[in-house]
Amino acid sequence: MRKQMTTADATVASLAAHGVDAVYALPGIQNDHLFDALFRAANRVRTVHTRHEQGAAYMALGAALATGRPQAYAVVPGPGLLNSAAALLTAYAMNAPVLALVGEIPAQDIGRHLGHLHELRDQAGVIARLVDHSARIGSAEAASGLVADAMAAMRRGRRGPAALECAIDVWGRTGEVELQAPLTPSEPAIDEDAIRAAAKRLGSARNPMIVCGGGAQDAAPEVSELAAMLQAPVLGYRRGRGLLGSRDPLSVTLPLAHELWAKTDVVLAVGTRLMMQHRQWGMDDDLAVIRVDSDPAEPARLRAPAVALIGDAGPILRRLIDALPAHNAKRPARAEEMTRRQAAWRQKLADALSPQVAFLDAIRAELPEDGIYVDEVTQIGFAARLALPVHKPRTFLSPGYQDNLGWGFASALGAQHARPDVPVLSINGDGGFLFTANELATAVRHRISLTAIVFNDGAFGNVRRIQEEAYGKRLIACDLADPDFVRFAESFGAAAERVTDAAALRPALRRAFARRETPTLIEVPVGPMPSPWPFIFLPKVRGT
Ligand SMILES: Cc1ncc(C[n+]2csc(CCOP(=O)(O)OP(=O)(O)O)c2C)c(N)n1
Ligand SMILES: [Mg+2]
């Protein structure tokens, strides 16, 4: 049914039709018509305004990661877009479905270099370097189809963000609009020969291993079934954590997987680049690699695998589960062995990484199993990647290979906004927290009950330790003048307290998780912490 409406109204109606129920945004004149449309659609799409564009984009990212559903943010062109760019880059690295709605100067002046407000030379070209799918909306009639295309692109092949630009005058133009229904992205047909080849390799393996990355997030039941059939340990590091819950004896953390690597004869790599294994642990011809990836270009990037299966992990693993019994050898149950090995590593890490592991134990004891932990580039974060038990998919959000300091607090805010039904915990260093601490105002304004811990060592501690160890203790650019974090948070209207050890952190977390509609900041003063890096940058154990 055709209807007279503006480009902005058509865009917002299409977003709503795709299940987008929030737009994280920071307004400005180029997008005034868009906000007018958002005002009219307020009963279907909530507009969450932030204090900086990076906050808006990180909130959309956090919401996308926590829900697995597409999310959107809106910013003005030029500085607005560039302020959001680190988050968009991170969404790309994390294959997260984040749609950027970006304003533009008047349509007829694009490319004429007149110097309009917020003009960015070749903005479309800049955007095209940041995302795989982008377009400029040119009319009301085109808007809905372009939203549907962008939504489909974010769910097709290698997942990731997309962007739509629209000029200031085009947002307000009207036309006869036919709303485009959501498209179903086509999946490549499953390669049955490759399934058989993979089933044969896995079936005859003596020491198989499964490695999961972010691309396996929606295939947790299949991973767990395959692990049991193969008695294969499952490694999820960072973005693959929680796919096989940490209580399962076959769920192993990074150092234990490394310990098992030299003897592994077949590895099933699901939605992971397998970067550490290729570049650090080593590969050789005695190890058959089976790759499952939605990006056809990915499996052979580092080394041609024995078998590549291209497409969505869930259906591919389901086919593998069907095909495996015909080829599967009998293997001894490995639960006892893995439990023993994992316990040994737990002790080793607890001894070596103190006080980090004690803080993580306190966090795990209080954060419910379906609560969401949001990682940061900080000492407790590095240790969490190795030692925090994770029980469910999408409950451990870690920023992928960008590892960008300061992503955490605003992303966690988006996660908590999109999942008000579970507690979300953001951990931060004093350095990273001040990247987006201004969004405390957003948390208070929109009544988002996020809990954030700031581990305060008065330093870019990671940088300081590297300088101490590798540069003869000469220190530059790593000491920090910090605010009083408790008074700082309270001045925004947030709840805040300071605790000095892991025992006191537990009741503080309990109080925080019980709060509704009020954010909490917990400051934990800490000293320098032992290095996690010997447990992360692990040596080569096979190949040349
Ligand atoms: C965007 C970005 N800039 C710089 C860095 C480099 N970097 C890594 S850790 C770190 C210091 C972190 O300090 P803090 O947040 O206080 O954590 P701490 O190491 O003290 O626990 C820096 C500057 C980075 N990872 N990302
Ligand atoms: Mg610090």
Side-chain angles (χ1 to χ4, degrees):
M1 195 186 63
R2 285 175 189 277
K3 212 177 140 193
Q4 190 77 16
M5 54 168 92
T6 67
T7 306
D9 283 318
T11 300
V12 172
S14 288
L15 291 174
H18 283 84
V20 173
D21 60 5
V23 173
Y24 303 95
L26 206 152
I29 195 155
Q30 288 86 357
N31 288 345
D32 279 355
H33 287 297
L34 174 63
F35 282 80
D36 200 29
L38 287 168
F39 181 85
R40 279 190 289 277
N43 60 342
R44 285 181 297 160
V45 180
R46 290 168 297 166
T47 298
V48 181
H49 59 301
T50 62
R51 303 303 292 269
H52 186 284
E53 283 90 357
Q54 72 167 341
Y58 279 130
M59 282 189 80
L61 172 60
L65 296 169
T67 60
R69 287 188 279 111
Q71 305 287 341
Y73 76 91
V75 291
V76 296
L81 166 68
L82 295 179
N83 281 342
S84 78
L88 202 52
L89 178 71
T90 310
Y92 181 82
M94 299 181 79
N95 310 122
V98 171
L99 177 64
L101 300 168
V102 187
E104 243 299 18
I105 64 167
Q108 82 276 10
D109 284 345
I110 293 172
R112 296 187 64 206
H113 308 301
L114 301 179
H116 274 283
L117 175 70
H118 302 340
E119 181 166 346
L120 168 62
R121 195 164 49 152
D122 190 19
Q123 176 168 283
V126 172
I127 290 172
R129 285 282 186 273
L130 292 170
V131 298
D132 282 336
H133 179 97
S134 57
R136 185 180 297 141
I137 302 173
S139 66
E141 290 84 348
S144 184
L146 290 174
V147 170
D149 287 346
M151 288 289 171
M154 294 197 294
R155 292 166 51 215
R156 186 173 54 228
R158 193 181 186 115
R159 305 325 191 232
L164 292 173
E165 286 181 292
C166 188
I168 176 170
D169 47 327
V170 176
W171 276 133
R173 278 191 210 148
T174 53
E176 283 286 310
V177 171
E178 172 97 49
L179 285 182
Q180 165 76 57
L183 305 166
T184 315
S186 61
E187 272 293 312
I190 296 177
D191 178 345
E192 291 298 332
D193 291 341
I195 289 282
R196 223 170 359 259
K200 277 187 188 159
R201 297 259 190 188
L202 282 166
S204 60
R206 295 168 66 92
N207 288 304
M209 182 187 293
I210 300 175
V211 181
C212 293
Q217 283 291 335
D218 294 321
E222 290 82 5
V223 166
S224 136
E225 238 177 280
L226 272 171
M229 290 169 85
L230 293 163
Q231 286 301 296
V234 177
L235 167 65
Y237 176 60
R238 302 188 61 188
R239 304 207 46 237
R241 300 221 56 204
L243 266 154
L244 188 64
S246 294
R247 276 195 204 90
D248 191 310
L250 291 172
S251 171
V252 303
T253 54
L254 191 73
L256 175 49
H258 176 264
E259 180 178 289
L260 301 167
W261 188 244
K263 280 209 172 143
T264 300
D265 55 353
V266 182
V267 63
L268 174 64
V270 187
T272 168
R273 294 167 300 135
L274 221 57
M275 181 83 152
M276 280 186 158
Q277 290 77 5
H278 280 99
R279 286 294 163 91
Q280 293 172 36
W281 304 4
M283 291 276 176
D284 57 40
D285 293 339
D286 296 333
L287 176 64
V289 178
I290 301 166
R291 299 282 299 260
V292 179
D293 209 289
S294 56
D295 178 357
E298 182 58 45
R301 260 195 188 116
L302 287 163
R303 192 174 201 263
V307 184
L309 286 153
I310 304 304
D312 229 2
I316 288 175
L317 296 188
R318 184 52 57 198
R319 277 295 299 123
L320 210 44
I321 290 166
D322 295 339
L324 187 59
H327 306 282
N328 204 11
K330 261 205 133 9
R331 280 174 212 90
R334 300 191 78 178
E336 234 170 82
E337 175 204 350
M338 288 302 152
T339 304
R340 185 170 31 80
R341 287 179 186 262
Q342 192 67 47
W345 269 110
R346 200 175 293 282
Q347 193 55 52
K348 218 185 283 189
L349 290 172
D351 293 344
L353 302 180
S354 173
Q356 293 100 307
V357 172
F359 283 121
L360 293 173
D361 287 347
I363 287 171
R364 189 67 278 173
E366 295 302 332
L367 184 67
E369 287 199 5
D370 54 0
I372 297 171
Y373 161 95
V374 182
D375 206 19
E376 251 294 345
V377 190
T378 181
Q379 303 316 306
I380 303 295
F382 301 140
R385 298 169 188 185
L386 302 169
L388 181 73
V390 184
H391 302 297
K392 296 191 172 167
R394 296 195 188 284
T395 63
F396 185 93
L397 309 185
S398 188
Y401 65 78
Q402 287 300 337
D403 234 357
N404 47 336
L405 187 60
W407 93 295
F409 179 65
S411 299
L413 204 52
Q416 184 71 81
H417 182 261
R419 290 292 312 273
D421 54 317
V422 295
V424 177
L425 176 67
S426 159
I427 63 117
N428 304 267
D430 51 326
F433 182 64
L434 281 194
F435 278 46
T436 57
N438 55 332
E439 304 301 350
L440 272 167
T442 304
V444 170
R445 167 65 183 79
H446 295 282
R447 302 173 195 267
I448 305 171
S449 57
L450 174 67
T451 302
I453 308 177
V454 178
F455 291 97
N456 182 4
D457 64 351
F460 286 139
N462 204 60
V463 176
R464 181 180 59 194
R465 195 184 46 235
I466 290 171
Q467 291 185 13
E468 284 171 352
E469 289 175 0
Y471 293 85
K473 297 200 175 170
R474 73 101 188 89
L475 299 180
I476 180 171
C478 58
D479 64 306
L480 300 175
D482 282 318
D484 176 326
F485 284 104
V486 170
R487 280 169 55 212
F488 176 76
E490 283 173 345
S491 74
F492 284 88
E497 61 178 297
R498 185 176 289 114
V499 303
T500 49
D501 58 26
L505 181 57
R506 287 192 59 176
L509 284 174
R510 226 171 297 151
R511 285 188 284 276
F513 294 152
R515 281 189 191 105
R516 287 284 158 261
E517 305 199 342
T518 303
T520 303
L521 181 145
I522 303 169
E523 184 192 352
V524 186
V526 292
M529 294 188 209
S531 174
W533 300 113
F535 301 102
I536 294 172
F537 291 118
L538 296 160
K540 180 168 279 225
V541 287
R542 66 191 299 167
T544 47

